[in-house]
Amino acid sequence: MSIKIALAGNPNCGKTTLFNALTGSNQFVGNWPGVTVEKKEGKLKGHKDVIIMDLPGIYSLSPYTLEEVVARNYLIGERPDAILNIVDGTNIERNLYLSTQLMELGIPVIMAINMMDIVEKNGDKIHISKLSQKLGCEVVEISALKGTGISQAAEKAVALANGKKNTVPVHKFQAELESVLDSIEEKLGNDVPEEQKRFFAIKLLEKDSKIETQLKRVPDVSEEITLIEREMDDDTESIITNERYVYISSIINECYTRSKRDKLTISDKIDRIVTNRFLALPIFAAIMFLVYYASVTTVGGWATDWTNDNLFGEGFSFFGLDVPGIPVIAENILVAVGCADWLQGLILDGIIAGVGAVLGFVPQMLVLFIFLAFLESCGYMARVAFIMDRIFRKFGLSGKSFIPMLIGSGCGVPGIMASRTIENDRDRKMTIMTTTFIPCSAKLPIIALISGALFGGAAWVAPSAYFVGIAAIICSGIILKKTKIFSGDPAPFVMELPAYHMPTVENILRSMWERGWSFIKKAGTIILLATIVVWFTSYFGWVDGQFRLLDTLELDHSILAAVGSTISWLFAPLGWGNWKAAVAAITGLIAKENVVGTFGILYGFAEVAEDGSEIWGTLAGSMTSIAAYSFLVFNLLCAPCFAAMGAIKREMNSARWFWYAVGYQTLLAYVVALCVYQIGTLITTGSFGVFTIVAFALIAGFIFLLVRPGKDSKVSKANFKSVAGAK
């Protein structure tokens, strides 16, 4: 029979890093709360029968947020054989709050004090043996990042699980509170195992709203609650919380020695600059500009150029040997075996042209992933969430809303799922609706295509796409918060900033590979199937009443051209009303990378070089630079891919809310793209028409929605008048 060990701890305590080290899993590691939204499991290295369960990072077992519900339900319902409680040694007092609750569950607990290397570097001292004695459980020192002490901690947890020795809480509350808890435990009777009575008694006293779902019979404890609240002149939840911190403070005073240092730590010195009220945003903007500049325009651009020109082009020279490119190799093989014309067209013009056009951007994406992984691992992205909280709160959102957006920069699906960390239902729905505005990795090929092929590699295009997404989120927050559905104060945002540290090369490469491999797998499955469909509908059609394979010059007679022509008029006010661009935008709903793959097939090129040499003449005849930017903006903001839409449907848990979210995203994308094209064309060419007037009207309406008073404003004014009148 397998042994189950649960990893439990606060966000940012290094729990997922430890999980990766113990199991060899490629679980993504981030430096903000809420990365692990669901419990995940893996087998302990060297132990086939030991399962490690990675629970969400939580601050307590009081179910205020969805991730706390996941963790508590697992611990109470499935009762693992042992709990490995990871505690951040640099913030031990805050972390011990959860530890006191875990020990009340009656499950064997071993505590691992993490980040001991930083504790020692700061000159602090944690007296492990004394702490173990005070808590009544074994305590070990580890550094999950450096891998020191983790094997010993795991082995001790396995030994503890095999021993099946239940942890008995050693801390006691005040006498009056203990007497009330004893009374509640008696009322629980035989419905609850003896080792769990303490936990449930406390939860009943705290008036826990979720307790009814976890107890067969809920005893009436109103008399006990009234008694203790009258005696201690406070509500029971506050009483329990205060008692815990009194107990924790007594432990810290005896078991933790802080060095007498007056000077600021390195992290404090850095934070004085990067979180400065005036410098924080310019620094963040500069960093993101450099990240996208390096990823798309310089280092990533050079790598993509080489890939497209050589690997997916004519070939390259390797130590004096001429190595042909993939299209050349494939064509030679197909000609040698005598393949039919339609099969050659499918492989060369469909699969290689479509999938190759997407895979050509992989080098740029890998460079971007390396930069993002470094910023996440070193601790800077946690500061960004803190910085954005100050801004988002002014627009009706909290910093918790920015966390899913940070995750969504890799993929929209986990970003949408990370919204579960937001306890306020209104804020959670609004976050789900706006998270995919941030460019994900699938949108990077579109950004690179527009930037390289249509703007000559201009450095401003790629960063502007990122800030267009942020602007859309901020404006959406202002507008939606002023509606009746979303009105109300934003959810509070409490977050501990981890100390800055140099991430390991292993963690950065693991994060890069995980994201990159996910993209490559998608190119080999979803995009492959989509390009086959696009090729068939593009290269087959009716000519002179005959259905047959078309050549490149006859694509206007294809099935896809017929379908695209019926919808292209919708996009004419946006500047790209030809059927090819319309079809590319629609296929992007399957997977955003399909936009580039579809262009690769329809415009007949197997690769997209940064200078746009293969397609510049073709695209320039059908799309101006203003229209191209309008096309980019529309694809950035409109409804995401099918996978992300499925995540929206699942997280909203309502068909009405799903269509509301998708409809809002698409409508906003259309309006912004229309305004970009119409106003941009007016400025650059002086062209003025009916849709220019429509664009100005939309901008006026947009400004009105931004500045109009919200629903809460009227209420507060009315209340103010009534109070003033009373005086």
Side-chain angles (χ1 to χ4, degrees), residues 692-721:
T692 311
I693 299 173
V694 172
F696 278 112
L698 289 172
I699 291 173
F702 195 74
I703 293 173
F704 169 74
L705 292 175
L706 287 174
V707 301
R708 74 187 180 107
K711 296 292 181 182
D712 291 343
S713 300
K714 296 178 181 179
V715 175
S716 54
K717 286 179 181 177
N719 290 341
F720 177 77
K721 288 179 181 178

Side-chain angles (χ1 to χ4, degrees), residues 8 62 108 125 203 218 314 323 355 365 385 485 488 607 613 616 619 645 719 725:
S62 299
K125 176 69 175 177
K203 291 303 166 191
V218 182
E314 294 299 319
V323 181
V355 177
M365 298 178 68
I485 301 174
E607 66 279 335
S613 58
W616 175 252
L619 285 183
M645 280 194 271
N719 290 341

Side-chain angles (χ1 to χ4, degrees), residues 291-538:
V291 166
Y292 276 90
Y293 180 73
S295 303
V296 177
T297 308
T298 55
V299 179
W302 301 331
T304 290
D305 279 348
W306 186 92
T307 303
N308 287 323
D309 295 339
N310 298 282
L311 190 61
F312 288 102
E314 294 299 319
F316 55 97
S317 179
F318 184 73
F319 290 105
L321 296 175
D322 290 331
V323 181
I326 292 175
V328 176
I329 295 174
E331 186 175 8
N332 291 337
I333 293 174
L334 294 173
V335 170
V337 299
C339 277
D341 290 344
W342 70 268
L343 185 57
Q344 288 190 41
L346 171 61
I347 295 174
L348 295 176
D349 300 328
I351 296 173
I352 294 179
V355 177
V358 176
L359 290 179
F361 292 101
V362 168
Q364 287 177 319
M365 298 178 68
L366 294 180
V367 174
L368 175 65
F369 293 158
I370 287 176
F371 279 113
L372 292 179
F374 178 83
L375 293 175
E376 290 161 359
S377 299
C378 74
Y380 177 69
M381 280 305 193
R383 271 73 182 177
V384 174
F386 167 73
I387 294 164
M388 296 307 292
D389 178 62
R390 292 190 303 213
I391 300 169
F392 274 32
R393 192 162 292 279
K394 295 178 181 178
F395 306 129
L397 288 170
S398 77
K400 281 190 174 183
S401 297
F402 193 67
I403 293 166
M405 295 164 195
L406 287 175
I407 301 172
S409 63
C411 178
V413 175
I416 292 165
M417 292 174 64
S419 64
R420 297 176 186 179
T421 61
I422 303 171
E423 59 269 23
N424 186 299
D425 186 62
R426 294 188 304 268
D427 290 356
R428 188 169 61 84
K429 282 185 168 66
M430 191 158 63
T431 301
I432 292 170
M433 292 173 61
T434 56
T435 290
T436 55
F437 289 155
I438 291 289
C440 64
S441 61
K443 295 175 184 176
L444 186 63
I446 307 175
I447 298 171
L449 170 64
I450 300 300
S451 172
L454 295 172
F455 285 90
W460 62 270
V461 178
S464 72
Y466 189 87
F467 292 113
V468 163
I470 292 180
I473 291 166
I474 291 174
C475 291
S476 295
I478 297 173
I479 292 171
L480 294 175
K481 268 294 181 180
K482 291 181 178 181
T483 63
K484 186 177 181 180
I485 301 174
F486 293 106
S487 62
D489 294 329
F493 181 48
V494 179
M495 180 177 169
E496 292 153 6
L497 300 180
Y500 287 104
H501 60 274
M502 185 60 66
T504 63
V505 175
E506 180 185 0
N507 279 343
I508 291 177
L509 293 179
R510 176 189 288 139
S511 175
M512 178 206 70
W513 174 248
E514 185 71 11
R515 286 172 164 178
W517 180 240
S518 175
F519 177 85
I520 294 170
K521 283 191 293 185
K522 188 188 291 185
T525 52
I526 299 173
I527 299 172
L528 174 62
L529 293 173
T531 53
I532 292 174
V533 173
V534 170
W535 173 84
F536 177 81
T537 54
S538 301

Side-chain angles (χ1 to χ4, degrees), residues 542-564:
W542 284 268
V543 178
D544 298 328
Q546 183 181 3
F547 184 76
R548 62 176 176 82
L549 178 66
L550 310 175
D551 60 39
T552 307
L553 299 177
E554 297 177 317
L555 295 186
D556 287 339
H557 298 284
S558 67
I559 300 171
L560 198 61
V563 174

Side-chain angles (χ1 to χ4, degrees), residues 90-148:
T90 63
N91 197 6
I92 189 169
E93 185 171 1
R94 179 67 185 86
N95 282 235
L96 285 179
Y97 187 87
L98 174 64
S99 302
T100 60
Q101 293 182 315
L102 292 175
M103 287 186 288
E104 288 161 359
L105 287 167
I107 300 172
V109 175
I110 183 169
M111 182 179 292
I113 308 292
N114 193 22
M115 305 183 194
M116 286 301 297
D117 51 329
I118 300 177
V119 172
E120 293 171 2
K121 187 177 180 180
N122 292 338
D124 299 336
K125 176 69 175 177
I126 298 176
H127 306 283
I128 299 298
S129 58
K130 189 177 290 186
L131 181 62
S132 176
Q133 181 183 356
K134 287 285 183 180
L135 291 172
C137 69
E138 187 163 5
V139 181
V140 294
E141 300 180 4
I142 67 166
S143 174
L145 189 65
K146 296 185 176 180
T148 56

Side-chain angles (χ1 to χ4, degrees), residues 630-694:
S630 166
F631 180 82
L632 172 62
V633 168
F634 180 84
N635 281 277
L636 289 177
L637 302 182
C638 77
C641 64
F642 284 165
M645 280 194 271
I648 292 175
K649 175 70 166 61
R650 188 167 57 251
E651 296 304 313
M652 288 291 196
N653 198 27
S654 165
R656 182 174 65 88
W657 272 104
F658 165 74
W659 289 113
Y660 187 86
V662 171
Y664 175 79
Q665 293 166 341
T666 306
L667 179 63
L668 179 67
Y670 192 92
V671 169
V672 175
L674 185 146
C675 293
V676 166
Y677 177 70
Q678 295 296 333
I679 305 300
T681 303
L682 175 65
I683 295 172
T684 56
T685 66
S687 177
F688 190 91
V690 174
F691 283 104
T692 311
I693 299 173
V694 172

